[in-house]
Amino acid sequence: MFRLSNLIDAVTAGRPERSLDGSIAIWNFTNRCNLACRHCYSYADPNSEDFLSTEFILDAIPELLKAGIRFVIFSGGEPLIRKDIFEIAEAMREAGIVTYLSTNGLYVNEKNVDRIIETFNYIGISIDGIEAVHDAFRGLEGAYRRSLDAIALIQRHGGNAGIRFTLTKETKGSFYDIFDLAEKIGVDKIYISHLVYSGRGLDNLKIDISPEERRKFVEFIIDKAFQYHKEGRKIDVVTGNMEMDAILFLEKFGERYPELRDEMQRRLRNWGGNSAGRKLVNIDWKGNVKPDPFFPFVIGNMTEKPFSEIWLDVENEMLTQLREHPRILLGKCADCSVIDICNGGSRSRAWAIHGDLWAEDPSCYLSRAEIASEEWGVKN
């Protein structure tokens, strides 16, 4: 996750950088869902049954803390389908873990909205285009209106919900509309997620956009972040699953604030790019542990081995390679002068296209000449 607005605001104001003391877990608490989204990586199914019991999940919280997990994103399927989701989230908060909710919004209602706001530090609701596009992409007519109603309900009750948008061939026609919508309804965050080839995303590889198109969209995203900063508009612009955005962002930041470029580059190096297996872990609905939600390999299962032993296993060769920074990769990554910023991007996409975890990310839109340029020169 790359937080453009936060970085612009902090560096230009001279505020000290903030870093998460620990790791982030994306936990898919259920595989049940009321939608059938085209890009879903978990093959969510409305007829599946929850696998992990409430008791098992609550007992696992000390293991999360032992392993250094300080932040849990509640995902699915649709996490609000689980009747025990508030009990789980409240137990985590009491243990000092920050909780985020990722939802389609269809189960947000007058009866639970206050509890949602009180329980979760942040709420992200998926909107993947204007009404017709969103409903087709999400597989349910009326889903768009119900998701917007959920955002409005949260706002009326004193909370705020950000928009999550996945960029694909099917949704790109609504890309600019999403920013207009965010400004109109007054959300505090726009999260643009790039497609990763996993689950239905792998089945629908053909729906991904080209690197050339991606770059144009990313340039717009970056320009919007600078515009919001200049206008004092409190909309946090964030991108996900495309850490190369930070490199293009650094170039544009340096053009606007040349005297602060070195400081921004230092912070981006400290951020470190793709964190799968390093600062990011995924737990799926069956207790399988993976370096990220899209990763093609499982490194252990919580029903068979304590989570801390899986995540802190120093003898796991895959984790060791993922945690090397910057990673040693092939293709144009091998000659990249700024790989310490993006860390090579998605290993899941590399595997899906090249059959090699350590190949270059095929979605990288930066040219070999560009990333090998001495102008990037790593400055200390």
Side-chain angles (χ1 to χ4, degrees):
M1 184 165 58
F2 178 49
R3 299 185 62 187
L4 294 77
S5 299
N6 180 268
L7 279 163
I8 296 171
D9 294 344
V11 173
T12 56
R15 294 199 303 267
E17 59 190 316
R18 296 186 304 170
S19 59
L20 179 67
D21 182 21
S23 299
I24 299 171
I26 300 174
W27 196 328
N28 305 98
F29 286 98
T30 181
N31 200 47
R32 291 187 290 150
C33 190
N34 50 341
L35 298 178
C37 304
R38 294 268 281 156
H39 63 306
C40 181
Y41 60 80
S42 64
Y43 289 101
D45 179 357
N47 300 312
S48 63
E49 296 181 2
D50 293 332
F51 186 81
L52 301 178
S53 68
T54 307
E55 182 180 14
F56 179 89
I57 295 171
L58 295 178
D59 287 345
I61 294 176
E63 280 294 310
L64 297 180
L65 295 172
K66 186 177 180 180
I69 303 299
R70 298 293 180 265
F71 191 122
V72 174
I73 298 175
F74 282 57
S75 188
E78 170 50 53
L80 290 177
I81 283 182
R82 284 193 68 131
K83 294 181 179 180
D84 59 0
I85 205 69
F86 294 111
E87 180 182 357
I88 294 168
E90 287 165 357
M92 288 190 179
R93 284 172 62 89
E94 290 175 4
I97 296 174
V98 176
T99 58
Y100 271 25
L101 175 65
S102 179
T103 175
N104 58 43
L106 272 63
Y107 285 112
V108 177
N109 55 55
E110 288 283 359
K111 293 182 179 180
N112 64 17
V113 63
D114 289 329
R115 195 171 186 187
I116 289 173
I117 294 169
E118 293 166 2
T119 303
F120 295 97
N121 295 73
Y122 182 74
I123 306 155
I125 294 183
S126 300
I127 302 289
D128 284 302
I130 57 176
E131 188 165 5
V133 175
H134 176 90
D135 288 356
F137 196 66
R138 293 277 164 179
L140 179 67
E141 186 175 352
Y144 176 82
R145 286 294 166 189
R146 292 169 65 183
S147 294
L148 287 187
D149 288 345
I151 294 174
L153 180 61
I154 290 168
Q155 291 174 333
R156 286 200 303 273
H157 282 252
N160 211 325
I163 288 177
R164 299 171 57 88
F165 174 88
T166 300
L167 183 57
T168 71
K169 283 182 181 176
E170 296 180 347
T171 65
K172 67 180 183 180
S174 296
F175 172 80
Y176 302 106
D177 295 320
I178 287 297
F179 285 86
D180 292 339
L181 175 65
E183 295 168 14
K184 179 180 179 181
I185 65 178
V187 298
D188 67 346
K189 180 182 290 187
I190 305 173
Y191 178 93
I192 306 295
S193 178
H194 298 273
L195 186 67
V196 180
Y197 317 138
S198 181
R200 292 194 188 107
L202 180 55
D203 290 342
N204 294 303
L205 176 58
K206 62 180 180 291
I207 71 174
D208 197 16
I209 61 176
S210 69
E212 294 75 21
E213 286 180 299
R214 189 182 311 283
R215 180 165 185 147
K216 291 180 180 178
F217 286 126
V218 172
E219 288 178 344
F220 179 87
I221 293 169
I222 294 171
D223 289 341
K224 269 295 183 182
F226 283 115
Q227 176 190 331
Y228 292 157
H229 170 75
K230 183 178 180 180
E231 295 174 352
R233 192 190 292 262
K234 299 301 180 183
I235 299 179
D236 192 14
V237 180
V238 182
T239 66
N241 307 317
M242 189 61 60
E243 291 79 13
M244 301 76 168
D245 293 353
I247 297 171
L248 189 56
F249 167 79
L250 176 60
E251 179 181 2
K252 290 183 172 291
F253 181 88
E255 293 171 356
R256 290 171 170 83
Y257 304 98
E259 73 284 2
L260 296 174
R261 183 191 183 283
D262 288 355
E263 173 59 17
M264 180 60 78
Q265 181 160 335
R266 185 189 68 80
R267 294 196 189 201
L268 291 176
R269 293 174 67 192
N270 288 343
W271 166 66
N274 185 275
S275 60
R278 197 165 54 95
K279 289 278 189 177
L280 177 67
V281 62
N282 173 242
I283 304 168
D284 76 9
W285 64 290
K286 287 187 175 181
N288 291 315
V289 179
K290 299 184 292 181
D292 71 33
F294 315 99
F295 211 79
F297 301 108
V298 171
I299 59 173
N301 186 286
M302 291 173 58
T303 65
E304 301 170 358
K305 191 175 183 179
F307 175 79
S308 65
E309 293 183 22
I310 297 171
W311 188 238
L312 301 177
D313 185 0
V314 296
E315 296 182 359
N316 186 302
E317 185 177 346
M318 184 181 297
L319 284 179
T320 299
Q321 287 182 270
L322 286 171
R323 289 170 178 171
E324 187 167 3
H325 189 269
R327 294 174 183 146
I328 300 174
L329 303 175
L330 304 173
K332 66 182 183 182
C333 292
D335 302 316
C336 181
S337 64
V338 279
I339 193 173
D340 56 342
I341 291 179
C342 76
N343 208 24
S346 171
R347 299 300 87 221
S348 300
R349 280 193 293 255
W351 175 264
I353 300 302
H354 303 295
D356 186 344
L357 280 177
W358 315 113
E360 66 182 60
D361 184 336
S363 290
C364 179
Y365 48 76
L366 301 169
S367 70
R368 283 179 178 268
E370 188 174 22
I371 60 180
S373 172
E374 293 183 0
E375 292 182 6
W376 287 110
V378 177
K379 301 180 181 180
N380 294 308

